[in-house]
């Protein structure tokens, strides 16, 4: 078809203005008005009335809806996607490919002054109730411009499904949403893919509407990336000197019985995971739940949103029952109890693996770990080991450590798997509170996956007063699934829950 090349306008103050629209094949125009490119928070643009032929659009929509869609679901997203549209689809999809990857590409190359390749990278997506795509930057070798053509029924901001753009900090990490683009029929949004192009599709809240779109990328020469920012590690500390009294105060006596510990250990060594129901004494559990609901607790958001978004309790603000419960999980006696539950060596009184044999305390061992003498008695009672602490081996790597926090989960909270996650051996502990009647359809469950796979190895669902223990190796990663709109509609059940989350290192 004949094609008028719009003149590239003056680049003024970071905005591009372009002249007339593109005349597409078939003689009808693409868009006939000047458009401007918005530079903040990163260069992006919305072209309303992209294809000026209503009959074509209706047929295109019909063709797209008749494609096969597949449910896509992992830590980052949940939506339905068609097969790759490089070759598939009927005549209208083929015409759209030509419009986008020939006419529009050549116009866009002129406007942004980058030679874009004819590589076709295109698919169709349907977002319905509770579907979302969380914060990410789209960076992948060769992607230069991302675009989305919306084919939605009349859409309002309160339907969700907006394209949210994030501003970034000095480390090129996303901070917060500064602009939300509401989808509208036949509008085309595009933006430059770069180390700061963090965006998300907010959760669709409408139960009736379907957010139908065709999206893809124009490829071009790769741009240099700054080195990835490495987050400071969460501090880890050795146990605190609290003896077995705290265990007898807090823990269901069933779990302090030697035989039940031996049984738990046998099962744990077999499966590397364990759920201990009714873990705290009922009165203590109720005390903790009541304290969690008191006014005056301070919660801070943990980010950045390309890695996580949840609320963490500020320890200074905590009432006594919550402080004490955090202390329980750091107590020396608890480290020893965990050793008995798991067979891991989280305390130097825990028995060695048989084949390792005895040894001396390494000379370079610095940290004299505070140690309660009464524990020796407690330990003999638990394990029938008459060893004295002096004759025991310290692990050469130093002392067992832990890190932990009290977290609140409600709509919009999640954690993601990200490149910087350290691959190491660790014991995860979760104790859930206030989640009576929680529906897993609302999200909030912890999912363990094998590195590089989407397949789930294990899912831990929030269950009230239940202690979950999971031992993960270097090949295992975990995330907490996005808590969606359904959580607000569980009646009269909880709209939020809490967990004590600890990680122990041998």
């Amino acid at each position: 078809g004949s094609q008028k090349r719009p003149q590239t306008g003056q680049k003024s103050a970071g905005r591009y203005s372009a002249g007339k629209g593109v005349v597409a094949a078939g003689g009808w125009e693409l868009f006939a008005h000047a458009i401007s490119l918005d530079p903040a928070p990163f260069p992006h643009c919305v072209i309303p009335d992209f294809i000026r032929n209503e009959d074509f659009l209706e047929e295109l929509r019909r063709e797209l809806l008749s494609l096969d869609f597949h449910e896509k679901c992992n830590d980052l997203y949940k939506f339905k996607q068609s097969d790759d549209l490089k070759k598939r689809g009927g005549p209208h999809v083929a015409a759209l490919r030509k419009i986008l990857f020939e006419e529009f590409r050549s116009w866009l190359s002129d406007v942004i002054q980058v030679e874009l390749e004819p590589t076709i990278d295109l698919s169709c997506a349907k977002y319905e109730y509770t579907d979302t795509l969380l914060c990410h930057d789209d960076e992948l070798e060769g992607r230069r411009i991302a675009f989305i053509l919306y084919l939605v029924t009349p859409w309002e901001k309160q339907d969700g499904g907006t394209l949210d753009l994030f501003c970034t900090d000095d480390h090129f990490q996303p901070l917060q949403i500064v602009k939300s683009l509401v989808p509208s029929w036949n509008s085309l949004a595009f933006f430059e893919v770069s180390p700061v192009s963090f965006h998300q599709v907010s959760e669709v809240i409408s139960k009736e509407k379907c957010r139908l779109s065709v999206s893809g990328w124009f490829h071009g020469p790769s741009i240099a990336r700054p080195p990835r920012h490495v987050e400071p590690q969460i501090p880890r500390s050795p146990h605190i000197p609290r003896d077995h009294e705290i265990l007898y105060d807090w823990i269901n006596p069933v779990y302090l019985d030697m035989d039940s510990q031996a049984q738990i250990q046998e099962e744990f060594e077999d499966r590397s995971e364990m759920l201990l129901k009714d873990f705290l004494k009922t009165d203590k559990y109720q005390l903790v739940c009541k304290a969690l609901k008191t006014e005056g607790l301070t919660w801070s958001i943990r980010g950045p949103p390309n890695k996580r978004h949840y609320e963490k309790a500020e320890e200074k603000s905590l009432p006594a029952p919550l402080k004490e419960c955090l202390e329980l999980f750091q107590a020396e006696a608890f480290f020893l109890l965990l050793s008995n539950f798991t067979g891991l060596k989280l305390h130097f009184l825990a028995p060695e693996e048989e084949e390792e044999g005895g040894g001396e305390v390494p000379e370079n061992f610095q940290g004299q770990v505070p140690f309660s003498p009464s524990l020796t008695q407690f330990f003999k009672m638990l394990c029938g080991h008459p060893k004295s602490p002096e004759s025991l081996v310290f692990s050469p790597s130093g002392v067992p450590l832990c890190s932990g926090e009290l977290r609140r989960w409600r709509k919009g909270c999640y954690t993601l798997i990200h490149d910087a996650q350290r691959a190491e051996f660790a014991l995860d502990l979760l104790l859930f509170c206030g989640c009576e009647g929680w529906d897993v359809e609302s999200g909030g469950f912890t999912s363990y996956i094998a590195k590089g796979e989407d397949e789930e190895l294990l899912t831990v669902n929030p269950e009230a007063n239940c202690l979950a223990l999971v031992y993960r190796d270097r090949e295992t990663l975990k995330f907490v699934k996005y808590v969606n709109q359904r959580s607000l509609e569980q009646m009269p059940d909880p709209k939020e829950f809490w967990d004590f989350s600890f990680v122990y290192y041998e």
Side-chain angles (χ1 to χ4, degrees), residues 86-367:
K86 193 172 279 206
K87 300 196 169 62
R88 280 187 186 74
H92 297 83
V93 171
L96 178 66
R97 263 198 300 269
K98 189 168 165 47
I99 290 165
L100 288 168
F101 289 94
E102 292 176 26
E103 281 89 9
F104 184 63
R105 175 178 62 91
S106 116
W107 175 86
L108 192 56
S109 287
D110 280 357
V111 170
I112 65 167
Q113 302 283 290
V114 173
E115 194 50 53
L116 297 171
E117 297 159 10
T119 314
I120 294 169
D121 193 347
L122 189 68
S123 68
C124 177
K126 283 197 297 198
Y127 285 77
E128 289 161 324
Y129 180 60
T130 72
D131 288 348
T132 184
L133 168 59
L134 299 172
C135 178
H136 64 290
D137 62 7
D138 260 5
E139 285 235 297
L140 209 66
E141 200 55 39
R143 290 178 177 178
R144 286 305 293 269
I145 301 285
F147 64 85
I148 310 98
L149 173 65
Y150 297 107
L151 295 167
V152 293
T153 49
W155 199 272
E156 317 291 329
K157 185 160 187 167
Q158 59 265 27
D159 293 325
T162 52
L163 178 63
D164 298 336
L165 312 183
F166 290 79
C167 62
T168 47
D169 65 16
D170 303 341
H171 302 295
F172 306 107
Q173 293 295 294
L175 277 171
Q176 74 235 2
I177 297 162
V178 289
K179 190 165 182 180
S180 291
L181 307 173
V182 179
S184 68
W185 174 258
N186 191 22
S187 68
L188 180 103
F190 66 88
F191 59 85
E192 183 178 31
V193 176
S194 76
V196 297
S197 58
F198 285 101
H199 60 284
Q200 71 175 10
V201 176
S202 69
E203 181 184 356
V204 173
I205 290 161
S206 165
K207 288 181 172 162
E208 292 76 41
K209 299 182 187 178
C210 168
R211 183 190 189 272
L212 182 70
S213 64
V214 182
S215 58
W217 292 272
F218 294 111
H219 292 243
S222 292
I223 45 177
R225 291 201 57 128
R228 278 202 188 276
H229 171 62
V230 179
E231 282 188 292
Q233 200 188 316
I234 293 170
R236 300 173 180 181
S237 28
H239 63 235
I240 55 178
R242 296 284 305 262
D243 67 14
H244 56 282
E245 295 301 333
I246 193 170
L247 305 187
Y248 288 111
D249 283 350
W250 277 83
I251 296 171
N252 182 339
V254 148
Y255 296 117
L256 300 180
D257 169 75
M258 236 174 97
D259 296 335
S260 72
Q261 287 179 30
Q263 201 181 331
I264 288 167
Q265 187 180 109
E266 199 175 315
E267 199 174 319
F268 187 86
E269 288 180 334
D270 184 40
R271 306 206 351 240
S272 298
E273 48 125 348
M274 192 76 212
L275 292 176
L276 305 178
K277 297 183 192 258
D278 302 318
F279 185 70
L280 300 182
K281 290 180 165 178
T282 310
D283 59 326
K284 288 291 191 189
Y285 174 71
Q286 285 167 349
L287 206 61
V288 164
C289 288
K290 194 173 163 205
L292 284 166
K293 291 170 187 165
T294 54
E295 294 300 308
L297 268 64
T298 314
W299 299 90
S300 58
I301 300 261
R302 276 211 67 207
N306 58 329
K307 295 182 177 148
R308 63 188 74 84
H309 180 88
Y310 63 82
E311 296 173 56
K312 171 189 191 295
E314 293 299 334
E315 290 188 33
K316 289 182 193 64
S317 75
L318 293 181
L322 301 181
K323 276 203 170 106
E324 180 136 344
C325 194
L326 281 169
E327 274 179 24
L328 167 69
F329 296 120
Q330 301 168 71
E332 180 172 11
F334 194 80
F335 272 62
L336 188 47
L337 183 65
L338 282 180
S339 304
N340 289 347
F341 283 159
T342 63
L344 298 170
K345 197 164 168 54
L346 294 171
H347 190 282
F348 62 82
L349 285 175
E352 280 290 346
E353 297 272 348
E354 279 77 359
E355 65 272 14
E356 285 178 15
E360 295 307 309
V361 175
E363 281 175 41
N364 62 358
F365 179 72
Q366 293 299 310

Side-chain angles (χ1 to χ4, degrees), residues 397-410:
S397 60
V399 286
L401 300 172
C402 79
S403 60
E405 55 188 3
L406 168 54
R407 310 182 293 184
R408 175 163 71 180
W409 299 95
R410 48 200 204 173

